[in-house]
Amino acid sequence: ETGVTQTPRHLVMGMTNKKSLKCEQHLGHNAMYWYKQSAKKPLELMFVYSLEERVENNSVPSRFSPECPNSSHLFLHLHTLQPEDSALYLCASSQEIRLAGVDEQFFGPGTRLTVL
Amino acid sequence: AQSVTQPDIHITVSEGASLELRCNYSYGATPYLFWYVQSPGQGLQLLLKYFSGDTLVQGIKGFEAEFKRSQSSFNLRKPSVHWSDAAEYFCAVGAGNDMRFGAGTRLTVKP
């Protein structure tokens, strides 16, 4: 595997389910990110991890819970989601987060989530 | 907080014609500037980036972008569009621990 991989690619879940999205980067990067991409809206940065520590949480509802067990893996745990949470969830990684700004990011193909 | 505006939601050009996609940003200092492309069912791929130095930046697939500080713009250009360039294009601004994306411009290429 190369680059950034995400599993599953598609997920359909009910509002009472608990599921997890997985992201793995094979680039030796130190920073990882979760984004939400909804139709007709800009990408929304959800979480930022640098060296396995969360450094940014952009007011994301608690029904989304990230986990970064090591610098190569990132999870997004989902529980009691709402239909409006249906979107494409993208994972990205970068070499580092510079003090003056983020570095270029490498994206996975995303997980298409549908909440019924 | 920084923001990014892509004024054109959808652009259609003929194959072989030139292309310019607009991007304006709002930020107190010069941030890091990026253009990404997304094909259907795919993640985003970096086309080019500007951190400092020469204001005309060359990227992959024949794209270039010019940073104009006075206009707070970072427009993407290509002299001759190919049918495979049809995709969604995103301008992004990075500063601190944050990255902001524009809403995207969908490019359609006519044969």
Side-chain angles (χ1 to χ4, degrees):
Chain A
E1 293 278 14
T2 59
V4 180
T5 57
Q6 291 186 243
T7 54
R9 293 294 306 275
H10 300 271
L11 178 62
V12 179
M13 59 186 290
M15 293 166 57
T16 58
N17 291 158
K18 290 185 180 181
K19 296 287 184 182
S20 296
L21 309 185
K22 178 183 176 183
C23 175
E24 184 173 1
Q25 58 97 359
H26 310 268
L27 301 168
H29 288 168
N30 293 319
M32 297 187 76
Y33 312 80
W34 278 117
Y35 285 90
K36 177 183 179 182
Q37 186 177 30
S38 306
K40 304 186 190 303
K41 290 179 66 175
L43 269 74
E44 301 170 60
L45 180 62
M46 301 174 71
F47 300 104
V48 179
Y49 276 83
S50 177
L51 296 172
E52 303 146 47
E53 289 192 18
R54 188 191 305 181
V55 297
E56 189 81 16
N57 174 359
N58 287 318
S59 303
V60 179
S62 59
R63 56 186 184 270
F64 295 91
S65 175
E67 178 189 1
C68 188
N70 55 63
S71 60
S72 298
H73 293 87
L74 185 65
F75 294 89
L76 188 63
H77 304 300
L78 316 171
H79 63 97
T80 60
L81 294 192
Q82 305 298 312
E84 59 264 29
D85 297 322
S86 298
L88 182 68
Y89 288 85
L90 292 164
C91 173
S93 70
S94 65
Q95 182 61 49
E96 60 187 52
I97 300 177
R98 303 186 190 189
L99 286 176
V102 297
D103 206 343
E104 62 181 284
Q105 296 178 350
F106 294 77
F107 285 80
T111 295
R112 175 67 62 185
L113 174 66
T114 302
V115 182
L116 301 177
Chain B
Q2 64 267 29
S3 65
V4 184
T5 302
Q6 292 181 247
D8 304 305
I9 296 173
H10 186 202
I11 284 182
T12 300
V13 299
S14 298
E15 192 170 14
S18 64
L19 172 70
E20 182 169 27
L21 302 182
R22 297 183 290 164
C23 174
N24 293 96
Y25 68 90
S26 173
Y27 189 64
T30 299
Y32 292 2
L33 298 164
F34 307 84
W35 275 100
Y36 285 86
V37 61
Q38 185 180 32
S39 298
Q42 303 293 320
L44 278 69
Q45 180 185 20
L46 180 69
L47 286 176
L48 46 77
K49 61 187 178 184
Y50 175 79
F51 287 173
S52 64
D54 192 347
T55 56
L56 185 62
V57 180
Q58 301 297 319
I60 62 171
K61 304 184 181 186
F63 286 93
E64 66 178 26
E66 186 171 13
F67 169 60
K68 292 186 178 180
R69 185 190 307 273
S70 61
Q71 298 177 18
S72 296
S73 69
F74 189 56
N75 294 348
L76 182 71
R77 300 194 294 248
K78 186 169 185 178
S80 178
V81 169
H82 188 263
W83 64 267
S84 61
D85 293 325
E88 185 121 23
Y89 291 80
F90 295 92
C91 180
V93 170
N97 293 333
D98 198 11
M99 185 81 129
R100 298 292 174 97
F101 284 79
T105 298
R106 178 165 299 280
L107 174 66
T108 298
V109 181
K110 292 190 304 184

